[in-house]
Amino acid sequence: MLDDFMVRAALAGIGVAVAAAPLGCFVVWRRMAYFGDATAHAAILGVALSLAFSMSIFIGTMVVALLMALTVSVLSGRGYAMDTLLGVLAHSALAFGLVAVSFLSGVRIDLMAYLFGDILAVSRGDLAVIWGGAALVVLLIGWRWSALLTSTLNEDLAHASGIDPKQEQLVLTLALAITVAVAIKVVGVLLIAAMLIIPAAAARPLSRTPEGMALAAGVIGTLSAIVGLRAAYVFDTPAGPSIVCVAALSFLATSLIRNFRPAA
């Protein structure tokens, strides 16, 4: 079954959707869209370092994404506006990564594949990494779900309940780094944030509970991956961007449903 490249691509897309769904909800609730974007941009530097030191792309991108997220967390609130800090770090990391790649002699690298994804080239080994990372993210978020919700709702309430909001932020940071590392092969650096944010945003009008929103985001992300791959096959368009386009259309559809829904 896994000899069919479209089946492998579909399984990879579903794996990324599973990882991105619960994490994307917290990104939306906490208004961390630019934070996720900055972490994703740093992944290119991780790719360059991985190739330079002949180590796993997954490990390199995860470590650099984690370092970027931790740097943002440490520097925020120290005289830098958050949007300015994220803009500087995100674009600097991307630029340094692209420059570093150009210095790698004897290494052939398709930058477009890392920028926009190459889901059709996913191998069995890639699938194992993607689904292993997705399972880790789901287990991590599920383990800290109640504490994460409380600290997201109100930090004072979290402190009163014996929950450390900074620790929960680190949990999200780790989950984000893992998601970036597993998604880079599927949708690429420039579209990872879209797969985090758009399905979660599309699920919001359809949900009455946080758990319902996470589940709906997973369904929307999964359908976006499958339909986007089919559209890419039929219309001969790039697979990663096609998946994001389908997710964007789902966001438009649920927004229209919310706007035209009769008031209770």
Side-chain angles (χ1 to χ4, degrees):
M1 183 177 94
L2 294 182
D3 288 332
D4 188 337
F5 74 97
M6 286 298 288
V7 173
R8 290 198 301 270
L11 289 175
I14 294 170
V16 170
V18 168
L23 181 58
C25 291
F26 284 103
V27 169
V28 170
W29 293 331
R30 289 175 172 243
R31 299 177 181 176
M32 292 171 58
Y34 287 119
F35 186 85
D37 205 31
T39 306
H41 277 59
I44 279 291
L45 184 56
V47 170
L49 293 176
S50 298
L51 294 173
F53 293 101
S54 301
M55 63 182 183
S56 167
I57 297 291
F58 172 77
I59 297 297
T61 52
M62 187 178 70
V63 169
V64 172
L66 184 59
L67 288 175
M68 168 64 81
L70 291 174
T71 300
V72 173
S73 298
V74 169
L75 293 181
S76 61
R78 297 195 177 187
Y80 299 98
M82 180 59 79
D83 58 344
T84 301
L85 181 64
L86 289 173
V88 170
L89 292 177
H91 296 99
S92 298
L94 180 60
F96 276 109
L98 293 173
V99 170
V101 166
S102 70
F103 283 105
L104 296 176
S105 59
V107 177
R108 297 185 63 184
I109 177 173
D110 182 5
L111 277 177
M112 293 297 288
Y114 287 107
L115 291 175
F116 296 103
D118 192 11
I119 190 172
L120 299 180
V122 167
S123 66
R124 294 187 181 202
D126 293 327
L127 275 181
V129 170
I130 290 169
W131 276 96
L136 188 57
V137 169
V138 171
L139 289 173
L140 189 62
I141 297 295
W143 172 48
R144 303 301 303 170
W145 180 263
S146 179
L148 284 168
L149 278 178
T150 303
S151 60
T152 299
L153 179 65
N154 190 296
E155 288 194 1
D156 292 332
L157 178 61
H159 283 298
S161 303
I163 298 169
D164 183 0
K166 290 185 177 180
Q167 177 180 312
E168 304 312 316
Q169 177 69 31
L170 287 176
V171 170
L172 285 179
T173 297
L174 177 59
L176 183 59
I178 296 171
T179 302
V180 167
V182 301
I184 190 171
K185 184 78 173 181
V186 176
V187 290
V189 167
L190 300 182
L191 300 177
I192 290 173
M195 284 305 291
L196 280 169
I197 299 164
I198 297 177
R204 198 167 195 172
L206 307 177
S207 312
R208 295 183 180 273
T209 65
E211 294 80 6
M213 181 171 163
L215 181 61
V219 172
I220 291 171
T222 297
L223 292 176
S224 297
I226 295 172
V227 175
L229 278 171
R230 180 60 181 173
Y233 180 79
V234 171
F235 298 108
D236 193 24
T237 54
S242 297
I243 292 171
V244 175
C245 285
V246 173
L249 290 175
S250 70
F251 171 74
L252 176 62
T254 59
S255 297
L256 291 173
I257 291 173
R258 178 181 60 184
N259 290 335
F260 288 101
R261 180 184 294 167

